């Protein structure tokens, strides 16, 4: 199997099927507000949304509230917000165009505590400079906030630019990771816990 074929096969395994059954979901308390997580029947994460997120998800009547399926994600997110985890080890499966999947995969290679630019992400996926807007759109459509670190992508001039979860959350994440100097006027970031009653949600 060639390298390109192997890469395509790996990407296909990480994508959700075109006609998937209703997802499992749970909510977790966090310093960013209640996180809404969805997963398929195998437990692979399919989305992570925050409140008021542009393009975020909202639980639907047919969704299955299955907190036990998310225990690994709960533990790792708690450790991340406590400053004890720098890299997630979670299975996830997303559904996007080939271009978006390449952009989302490129986010995985941006190390904890660092930032990159939209232009650098474009170069990593072999996109021409004329495609920067499309790269930005793909990053903005990332369905797995925090886990796939689109918050680490900033403007070429160092500006934080847009973030689907809100610039205040992007600032908090980059500060937590040490990529931004802390604002001493803000209280410290608390740890992440569970909200297993499923009362929290993010608008769509």
């Amino acid at each position: 199997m060639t390298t390109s074929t192997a890469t395509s096969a790996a990407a296909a395994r990480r994508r959700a099927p075109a006609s998937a059954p209703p997802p499992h979901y749970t909510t977790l308390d966090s310093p960013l507000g209640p996180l809404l997580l969805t997963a398929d029947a195998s437990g692979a994460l399919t989305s992570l949304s925050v409140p008021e997120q542009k393009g975020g998800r909202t639980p639907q009547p047919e969704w299955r509230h299955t907190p036990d399926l998310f225990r690994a994600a709960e533990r790792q997110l708690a450790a991340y917000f406590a400053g004890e985890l720098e890299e997630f080890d979670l299975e996830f499966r997303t559904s996007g165009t080939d271009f978006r999947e390449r952009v989302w995969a490129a986010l995985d290679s941006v190390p904890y505590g660092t930032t990159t630019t939209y232009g650098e992400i474009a170069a990593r996926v072999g996109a021409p400079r004329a495609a920067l807007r499309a790269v930005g759109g793909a990053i903005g459509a990332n369905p797995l906030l925090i886990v796939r670190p689109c918050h680490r992508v900033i403007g070429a001039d160092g500006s934080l630019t847009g973030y689907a979860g809100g610039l205040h959350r992007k600032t908090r994440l980059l500060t937590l990771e040490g990529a931004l100097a802390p604002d001493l006027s803000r209280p410290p970031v608390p740890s992440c816990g569970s909200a297993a009653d499923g009362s929290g949600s993010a608008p769509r």
Side-chain angles (χ1 to χ4, degrees):
M1 181 181 293
T2 65
T3 300
S4 60
T5 302
T7 301
S8 299
R13 287 195 298 271
R14 294 166 84 90
R15 296 181 193 143
S19 180
H24 297 265
Y25 81 99
T26 195
T27 57
L28 301 175
D29 286 336
S30 86
L32 306 184
L35 307 179
L36 172 66
L37 285 69
T38 64
D40 62 18
S42 73
L45 288 181
T46 53
S47 72
L48 191 160
S49 304
V50 298
E52 293 89 42
Q53 176 185 331
K54 180 181 179 181
R57 305 187 76 180
T58 300
Q60 302 300 310
E62 68 274 16
W63 289 15
R64 290 162 287 184
H65 184 226
T66 321
D68 287 346
L69 201 60
F70 298 86
R71 295 308 181 201
E74 179 182 348
R75 288 191 298 271
Q76 292 188 36
L77 284 164
Y80 169 80
F81 283 113
E84 299 167 354
L85 181 75
E86 296 186 356
E87 185 174 346
F88 292 98
D89 182 18
L90 297 168
E91 182 182 359
F92 52 84
R93 187 167 293 109
T94 54
S95 178
T97 64
D98 287 341
F99 177 77
R100 286 191 168 185
E101 290 286 346
R102 295 203 321 270
V103 171
W104 296 341
L107 297 175
D108 297 336
S109 64
V110 184
Y112 180 97
T114 69
T115 58
T116 189
T117 66
Y118 293 90
E120 289 169 344
I121 292 294
R124 293 185 195 194
V125 301
R129 187 163 186 80
L132 276 181
R133 184 178 295 273
V135 170
I139 292 172
N142 170 30
L144 285 164
L145 296 195
I146 307 172
V147 175
R148 277 194 140 166
C150 54
H151 59 275
R152 297 175 190 161
V153 184
I154 63 174
D157 60 357
S159 60
L160 295 188
T161 66
Y163 183 60
L167 285 182
H168 63 296
R169 292 192 176 97
K170 184 170 188 171
T171 299
R172 293 198 75 174
L173 290 170
L174 291 177
T175 301
L176 169 68
E177 296 182 1
L180 285 181
D183 180 351
L184 298 180
S185 67
R186 299 179 66 103
V189 177
S191 61
C192 174
S194 172
D197 60 358
S199 57
S201 64
R204 187 165 191 163

